[in-house]
Amino acid sequence: MRLFSLPGLSVAVALALAGFAGSTVSLAQEEKDASRPEDMKPYVEKIPGTDQKFEMVPIPGGTFVMGSPATEEKRSEDEGAQHEVAIAPFWMGKKEVTWDEYDEFAFAFDLKRKQREGVDTAKQSESEKAADAITRPTPPYADETFGLGRKGQPVICITHHSAMEYCRWLSTKTGKLYRLPTEAEWEYACRAGTKTAYSFGDDPSKLEEYAWNVDNAEKPQPVGKKKPNPWGLYDMHGNVSEWCLDHYVPDLYSTLAKGPLAKGPVVLPTAQEYSYVARGGSWDDDADRLRSAARLASNLEWSVQDPQRPQSIWWHTDATFVGFRVVRALNEQEDLRGVKSLVVKKKGTK
């Protein structure tokens, strides 16, 4: 699979982008004012107006060494140089986002339910009105599940933009600021204090206990059926690769390794649709692609079967291996406050 880096994006520019933030939302400041270390407990979030719930796991702040050592078997060049990173406390979805949750947004199930029940939308809370106003995905070109399963299954075939817009909708509905994890947050949570190739050690033969991959699955599997990692997160290795917030910059680590301790590093999304980072490997990957440090960059081939011109900004036709999970910071870092997708249809920003 070819990898496409962001056209014309040097490492220096990429790092400068980390200082950019999208339009702010009041939720961010409200959470910042209300959040305290003692608030870091597991909780269950019920999406208002739906029957859907999901669990959030507290991830303690700390430092870790990001990337893989040169001695790690089957590592890729973009996993180095290793560098120390500081991560602030956050919550992470215990499991990958499922179709059951995502369909409420993507197919406006919440809006249709209100219509059936005769809800007076003019009397709704401001947050509900704002959530209703968020643009929903256009109809997919083909069966978005590709016959691989729906109930309890992880979302697949959605674009980075689509995942970000779901997070924006979810934040507006719940009053809590949810987003995609940064690449650094994702690896920190995946490792869960470990320094080995996988969160359970270096032996890939143990993947059978923790992950779905090409050796034991022929399609995505219902979430949370294997053992969790040491911090209680399921399917961090395998099942579906998971979107991160960051643009993919292949030599980013080499630059970060030359500087001081990197605090919450991120290459913020822009109006360009490619290339973004996905982590964790999938049901369709060999064992080495499920390592904690393995990186994957989205590319145009993920939508090669989409006949539309321009192609959909919501759906990938050839990415049955990619999904996502959500995070929520205890106190959001400044450059992530209010971050949102800047992708716009027909702008030609591939």
Side-chain angles (χ1 to χ4, degrees):
M1 181 179 289
R2 289 184 297 160
L3 299 181
F4 294 79
S5 61
L6 188 61
L9 183 61
S10 67
V11 172
V13 173
L15 290 173
L17 283 174
F20 168 86
S23 59
T24 59
V25 294
S26 60
L27 283 172
Q29 188 60 48
E30 290 172 5
E31 288 229 308
K32 185 175 187 298
D33 292 342
S35 300
R36 301 157 297 178
E38 56 266 34
D39 294 329
M40 292 298 290
K41 300 175 182 178
Y43 69 90
V44 176
E45 183 74 87
K46 184 179 185 300
I47 304 176
T50 79
D51 295 327
Q52 302 305 320
K53 300 177 181 179
F54 59 92
E55 297 177 78
M56 296 295 288
V57 175
I59 307 298
T63 61
F64 81 112
V65 176
M66 188 173 185
S68 62
T71 55
E72 188 163 300
E73 189 174 354
K74 296 189 176 181
R75 79 188 289 266
S76 299
E77 187 175 347
D78 64 356
E79 297 170 25
Q82 285 187 295
H83 54 288
E84 191 172 18
V85 173
I87 299 293
F90 63 99
W91 287 271
M92 184 174 239
K94 188 174 186 177
K95 301 173 184 177
E96 294 157 335
V97 174
T98 65
W99 283 113
D100 308 81
E101 300 156 47
Y102 187 76
D103 285 352
E104 293 286 343
F105 162 70
F107 299 103
F109 285 178
D110 59 329
L111 298 180
K112 294 172 182 176
R113 187 178 298 109
K114 290 176 183 179
Q115 292 174 351
R116 290 196 307 269
E117 296 174 355
V119 173
D120 186 347
T121 55
K123 295 181 179 180
Q124 294 183 118
S125 66
E126 291 305 312
S127 62
E128 275 296 308
K129 290 179 182 178
D132 289 352
I134 293 175
T135 301
R136 310 303 173 101
T138 54
Y141 168 67
D143 171 19
E144 62 282 355
T145 72
F146 285 84
L148 299 178
R150 191 175 218 102
K151 188 169 181 58
Q153 295 270 12
V155 174
I156 57 172
C157 294
I158 66 164
T159 64
H160 187 267
H161 168 74
S162 192
M164 287 193 67
E165 286 297 277
Y166 172 83
C167 291
R168 188 159 72 96
W169 171 82
L170 182 65
S171 299
T172 308
K173 291 278 282 188
T174 63
K176 301 183 181 74
L177 193 54
Y178 289 103
R179 58 169 169 79
L180 295 178
T182 67
E183 187 175 14
E185 288 172 335
W186 191 97
E187 185 172 328
Y188 177 70
C190 180
R191 289 188 177 281
T194 67
K195 297 180 180 179
T196 47
Y198 307 93
S199 63
F200 52 81
D202 289 313
D203 185 1
S205 69
K206 292 184 178 180
L207 276 172
E208 173 62 33
E209 301 176 42
Y210 294 87
W212 299 106
N213 78 327
V214 73
D215 293 325
N216 63 4
E218 296 182 351
K219 62 179 183 178
Q221 301 295 315
V223 300
K225 299 301 183 182
K226 294 289 187 176
K227 290 182 179 179
N229 79 353
W231 285 350
L233 301 168
Y234 291 83
D235 299 313
M236 293 297 283
H237 303 294
N239 209 21
V240 291
S241 296
E242 299 173 11
W243 283 121
C244 294
L245 191 64
D246 306 57
H247 263 302
Y248 173 75
V249 179
D251 55 349
L252 178 64
Y253 292 9
S254 297
T255 297
L256 289 173
K258 296 175 184 177
L261 174 68
K263 298 180 179 180
V266 60
V267 183
L268 289 182
T270 66
Q272 291 185 281
E273 295 175 51
Y274 298 96
S275 184
Y276 289 97
V277 177
R279 287 296 211 108
S282 77
W283 62 274
D284 199 29
D285 282 317
D286 292 326
D288 63 288
R289 301 308 304 160
L290 276 64
R291 292 174 300 107
S292 298
R295 307 174 73 198
L296 176 64
S298 64
N299 64 67
L300 291 165
E301 293 178 1
W302 291 18
S303 285
V304 70
Q305 295 182 76
D306 188 346
Q308 304 173 88
R309 294 295 180 271
Q311 293 179 321
S312 175
I313 61 174
W314 297 98
W315 305 98
H316 283 307
T317 55
D318 300 81
T320 57
F321 49 81
V322 69
F324 71 110
R325 74 178 72 212
V326 299
V327 301
R328 174 191 167 208
L330 175 65
N331 291 303
E332 190 63 282
Q333 64 188 60
E334 190 67 31
D335 55 352
L336 294 183
R337 219 173 281 163
V339 66
K340 67 177 184 178
S341 176
L342 301 175
V343 171
V344 179
K345 182 78 169 178
K346 298 182 180 179
K347 290 296 184 180
T349 53
K350 294 293 185 185

